[in-house]
Amino acid sequence: MVQLVVVAALVTIVSQILKAFAYDVSVQLSVYVGLIITNCILMGRLEAFAMTNKPWPSFLDGVGNGLGYAMILVIVGAVRELFGRGTLLGFQVIPDACYDMGYVNNGMMTMPAMALILVGCVIWIHRAYFYKEK
């Protein structure tokens, strides 16, 4: 667990140094830096579960987490593309008639911060639906 935290911290430091001194390289590597950090977070969570459980429950936990994270990525990506560009998988979904009536794509949806806000909304909806107070 500590190893993964150290790797994530070092990757973040290297990313900041690249932004300061080699901005062009930082722009090209920015997506991969985020993936490395996310991978460390996921591996840390899975390792923590696997250390206290047997192999089969750990395997099921890993598969469930992988499918769950994939589902969230697809939901967030679809919502961002639909409202940010008006398309899904490159196909125009919002009809031209809507644009003729004044609809404008929400450019904020294409910004990275909206992904975080959408993940928060998905968590909020999930908790409101599945966790009823008694």
Side-chain angles (χ1 to χ4, degrees), residues 81-88 91-94 99 103 105:
E81 184 179 356
L82 178 63
F83 292 116
R85 302 267 187 244
T87 61
L88 277 178
F91 297 105
Q92 187 69 29
V93 175
I94 298 177
Y99 292 106
Y103 176 79
N105 289 331

Side-chain angles (χ1 to χ4, degrees), residues 41-57:
I41 293 168
L42 294 175
M43 292 297 291
R45 189 257 175 243
L46 293 172
E47 183 181 355
F49 184 87
M51 285 174 46
T52 59
N53 292 289
K54 294 186 183 260
W56 184 247

Side-chain angles (χ1 to χ4, degrees), residues 10 19 21 25 27 58 64 71 75 84 96 102 106 132:
L10 290 175
K19 282 182 185 175
F21 297 108
V25 175
V27 169
S58 297
M71 182 179 69
I75 290 170
D96 289 331
N106 186 349
K132 301 289 183 189

